[in-house]
Amino acid sequence: MDAVDRLELQKGCAAYIEGVGTTYGYVPSLGAGIAYCTLFGLSMILHTVQFIWKRQWWASVFTVGCLAEVIGWAGRTWSAKCPYNGTAFLMQISTLIIAPTFYTAGIYILLGRFIQLLGPKSSIMKPNLYLWIFCTCDVISLVIQAIGGGMASGEADKINGNTDPGTHIMVAGIVFQLASITIFVFCAVDFIRRTMRNHLLQSVNGSVIPLFAAMILSIICIYIRSIYRTIELSQGWDGYLISHESYFIALDGAMMVVSVVVFNVLHPGWMLPNEKSDVYKTERTLVDQPDRYQGPPTHW
């Protein structure tokens, strides 16, 4: 099949043709597409109800992230029936790269809330700095990826187009994102070390401990996914990982489901103590029973 025929094939909805490869390197699984659309769709609905009910407006980032995942997996479901369609391919690759950024934004905010509850000794930075620094890094990485993706897709639509420059720029954006997430992971580990070493969780309501564990699990899943996507794209469009769907299903789809659904089960709106009541409780303890309240340790 010549280049002109292939370009025509990308505009329609042709079924798989034996011997004619797809952009994916395989035909996406219809079952996986439907399953993940369903899982992310249900999580999106539940997150929407939860953040409106508890008036935790910042938690809407999880809803937006789920929406991006639904659009991406809808593109892969479309590709299961139309494996050569270029629009479906671009639809899924762009949204599934962006979606985790909304989850990390939620985690940055959540970590800031924990620092506010546990006190400044729990962190090397002020709470708001996590959001500003790491969200800025995420935006920069997404801009770089968007530029690279646009260049690559533009060349893909041309006869004998060279997608390598755009791909290299896109990989640079992915690597930058992985580097920023790695730095955040180190900050999160330092936060956990300080919290555990100084027994700071004892100074707040016990219900935050499961939420604390949920945050750690979500960070681990997002980090695993980031490492996978970095290696995948660095291998190029015909690399081993990108041409084997099972890795994508397990190391992207499944990791993202766990990272966002865990906050449906342990939603910050339910688990975080009310700031006013928590402050009032601490003040009353100091007045009525000063000997029982020791507060967070002052030593390291």
Side-chain angles (χ1 to χ4, degrees):
M1 179 176 291
D2 58 31
V4 175
D5 290 336
R6 180 172 286 278
L7 287 176
E8 289 299 321
L9 201 59
Q10 291 177 355
K11 297 177 182 178
C13 185
Y16 178 70
I17 302 172
E18 192 68 34
V20 179
T22 69
T23 307
Y24 296 93
Y26 55 83
V27 177
S29 167
L30 178 63
I34 293 173
Y36 280 120
C37 280
T38 302
L39 289 171
F40 285 115
L42 291 174
S43 181
M44 177 182 67
I45 294 170
L46 190 52
H47 268 297
T48 302
V49 172
Q50 288 174 316
F51 84 73
I52 292 176
W53 188 352
K54 299 301 294 184
R55 297 182 183 276
Q56 294 280 341
W57 307 114
W58 65 267
S60 61
V61 293
F62 296 119
T63 295
V64 178
C66 284
L67 177 59
E69 294 279 2
V70 170
I71 294 172
W73 282 97
R76 293 183 68 89
T77 304
W78 180 6
S79 293
K81 292 296 185 180
C82 311
Y84 302 103
N85 189 279
T87 302
F89 178 80
L90 292 175
M91 172 179 164
Q92 61 87 31
I93 197 169
S94 59
T95 52
L96 294 181
I97 284 178
I98 293 172
T101 304
F102 296 100
Y103 304 155
T104 55
I107 291 174
Y108 301 153
I109 296 171
L110 183 58
L111 181 58
R113 294 292 300 276
F114 273 123
I115 294 169
Q116 289 175 339
L117 286 170
L118 300 177
K121 288 187 178 295
S122 65
S123 175
I124 59 175
M125 291 194 298
K126 294 181 179 180
N128 290 340
L129 287 180
Y130 285 96
L131 180 63
W132 289 110
I133 292 174
F134 293 107
C135 274
T136 299
C137 289
D138 283 345
V139 170
I140 292 172
S141 71
L142 289 178
V143 170
I144 295 173
Q145 291 174 59
I147 293 172
M151 291 174 60
S153 62
E155 289 296 315
D157 290 336
K158 299 177 182 178
I159 297 176
N160 299 322
N162 182 14
T163 60
D164 288 345
T167 300
H168 294 328
I169 293 175
M170 193 172 182
V171 170
I174 290 285
V175 171
F176 181 81
Q177 186 177 42
L178 177 63
S180 67
I181 292 177
T182 299
I183 294 172
F184 174 74
V185 167
F186 277 112
C187 291
V189 169
D190 179 71
F191 166 77
I192 294 168
R193 180 187 65 82
R194 290 167 180 259
T195 299
M196 296 302 183
R197 183 178 179 180
N198 295 291
H199 309 288
L200 298 180
L201 287 175
Q202 296 177 2
S203 65
V204 296
N205 191 306
S207 65
V208 303
I209 296 178
L211 181 60
F212 186 74
M215 183 185 72
I216 295 172
L217 176 60
S218 186
I219 291 173
I220 291 172
C221 289
I222 292 173
Y223 194 55
I224 291 172
R225 179 263 179 195
S226 297
I227 294 173
Y228 159 70
R229 292 309 299 264
T230 301
I231 298 173
E232 176 203 50
L233 289 178
S234 65
Q235 292 179 347
W237 298 106
D238 56 353
Y240 181 81
L241 288 179
I242 204 170
S243 59
H244 290 75
E245 187 181 24
S246 57
Y247 292 102
F248 187 84
I249 291 173
L251 297 176
D252 189 296
M255 291 298 101
M256 292 301 94
V257 166
V258 173
S259 69
V260 72
V261 169
V262 68
F263 291 121
N264 286 131
V265 179
L266 301 169
H267 194 272
W270 301 109
M271 310 301 290
L272 284 174
N274 181 279
E275 293 182 9
K276 292 182 179 180
S277 64
D278 193 62
V279 171
Y280 176 78
K281 178 181 176 181
T282 302
E283 290 176 346
R284 292 311 308 165
T285 302
L286 288 169
V287 172
D288 298 337
Q289 297 173 306
D291 294 336
R292 291 187 58 187
Y293 183 76
Q294 300 299 321
T298 57
H299 65 276
W300 289 96

